[in-house]
C-alpha cells in the first residue's frame, strides 16, 4: 500500500469511527435532588415521616372547621401554611439551627410511643418504653384539649434538643415540634410553650 492509499484508509477509518460514536446510545445517571433542610438541620431530622407513614403516602386533605387547630404566634414569630404533610413552618426571631414545624396526619399516625421514639432517634437518643415515656410526658391543658409535651436533649459535646407537643383533634393527630441545636431551642422554648398553651379549635377562636 502506497502512502496515498494508506492516508485514505486512515481517513475512512476515522470517519467510520465517528459515525459509530454518533449512533451509540449513552446513558447518564442523574442524582436525585435532596430536599434542603432549614437552618443547617439534616433532611432526615426535618422530613422523616411518622411511623407507618413512610414512603409515597399522599398528603392528607387540609383540615377545616372544628378539625383544624389554630394558635397565637409569640411576638416576632411568623408562619407559612404550606399544606401537605408539613402543615405549617414557623419562624422565630432566634438565630441558629432551629426548625419549628406543624404536621397533621389522619388517625393515630403510628401512635404516641412510636412518634416519641422517632423524635429521640433524630437527636441520637435511645428509645423509651411505655413507663419511661409516661414519666417524660408533661400534659398541658389547652382549649383544644390535653396536649402531651416532650422535651429531650441529646448527649455529647454538641447537643441537640427537641421540644414537641402531640394532640388529637377532629380525628387527626397534630405534631408541633421545635428542634435544632440546644442553645437556640432553649432560647425559644418559653415562647414555644406559650404557643402550645394557646392551641384551640378553629371554631373556638
Amino acid at each position: 500500500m502506497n502512502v496515498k492509499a494508506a492516508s485514505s484508509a486512515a481517513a475512512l477509518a476515522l470517519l467510520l469511527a465517528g459515525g459509530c460514536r454518533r449512533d451509540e446510545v449513552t446513558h447518564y445517571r442523574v442524582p436525585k435532588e435532596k430536599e434542603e433542610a432549614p437552618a443547617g438541620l439534616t433532611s432526615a431530622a426535618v422530613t422523616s415521616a411518622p411511623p407507618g407513614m413512610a414512603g409515597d403516602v399522599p398528603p392528607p386533605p387540609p383540615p377545616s372547621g372544628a378539625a383544624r387547630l389554630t394558635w397565637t404566634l409569640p411576638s416576632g414569630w411568623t408562619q407559612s401554611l404550606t399544606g401537605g404533610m408539613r402543615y405549617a413552618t414557623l419562624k422565630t426571631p432566634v438565630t441558629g439551627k432551629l426548625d419549628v414545624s406543624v404536621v397533621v396526619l389522619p388517625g393515630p399516625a403510628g401512635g404516641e410511643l412510636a412518634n416519641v421514639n422517632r423524635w429521640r432517634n433524630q437527636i441520637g437518643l435511645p428509645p423509651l418504653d411505655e413507663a419511661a415515656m409516661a414519666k417524660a410526658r408533661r400534659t398541658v391543658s389547652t382549649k383544644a384539649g390535653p396536649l402531651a409535651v416532650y422535651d429531650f436533649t441529646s448527649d455529647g459535646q454538641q447537643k441537640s434538643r427537641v421540644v414537641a407537643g402531640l394532640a388529637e383533634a377532629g380525628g387527626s393527630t397534630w405534631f408541633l415540634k421545635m428542634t435544632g441545636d440546644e442553645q437556640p431551642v432553649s432560647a425559644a422554648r418559653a415562647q414555644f410553650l406559650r404557643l402550645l398553651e394557646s392551641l384551640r379549635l378553629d371554631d373556638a377562636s
Side-chain angles (χ1 to χ4, degrees):
M1 183 180 295
N2 58 33
V3 174
K4 185 175 181 180
S7 299
S8 298
L12 179 60
L14 288 172
L15 285 173
L16 290 173
C20 290
R21 290 194 189 97
R22 283 195 296 272
D23 292 338
E24 289 176 354
V25 178
T26 305
H27 297 274
Y28 296 97
R29 288 186 180 275
V30 179
K32 187 177 179 181
E33 292 185 6
K34 296 181 179 177
E35 184 176 350
E36 189 171 339
L41 297 175
T42 65
S43 294
V46 174
T47 61
S48 99
M53 294 291 173
D56 296 326
V57 178
S64 60
R68 188 167 74 99
L69 284 185
T70 188
W71 49 82
T72 300
L73 282 178
S75 177
W77 288 46
T78 61
Q79 67 180 12
S80 57
L81 303 180
T82 54
M85 291 184 68
R86 177 179 281 234
Y87 179 77
T89 296
L90 311 184
K91 297 292 185 183
T92 82
V94 174
T95 58
K97 294 180 180 178
L98 180 67
D99 179 64
V100 187
S101 64
V102 180
V103 171
V104 56
L105 294 169
E112 185 173 355
L113 180 61
N115 281 289
V116 167
N117 284 329
R118 178 173 57 88
W119 296 332
R120 288 176 58 84
N121 179 65
Q122 288 172 354
I123 59 172
L125 292 177
L128 301 178
D129 58 20
E130 289 277 1
M133 181 184 71
K135 290 181 180 177
R137 181 194 300 122
R138 172 190 171 195
T139 301
V140 174
S141 296
T142 76
K143 290 182 178 178
L147 176 77
V149 178
Y150 295 90
D151 188 344
F152 301 117
T153 302
S154 71
D155 300 322
Q157 207 165 22
Q158 183 67 38
K159 296 182 186 301
S160 299
R161 187 171 185 176
V162 57
V163 183
L166 183 152
E168 296 179 8
S172 298
T173 303
W174 290 73
F175 305 93
L176 297 96
K177 185 178 71 167
M178 179 168 65
T179 186
D181 284 350
E182 195 273 338
Q183 189 171 1
V185 171
S186 297
R189 180 179 179 276
Q191 288 190 322
F192 182 64
L193 291 178
R194 283 198 289 274
L195 182 148
L196 295 181
E197 292 167 354
S198 75
L199 286 178
R200 56 198 181 273
L201 295 172
D202 191 41
D203 63 354
S205 59

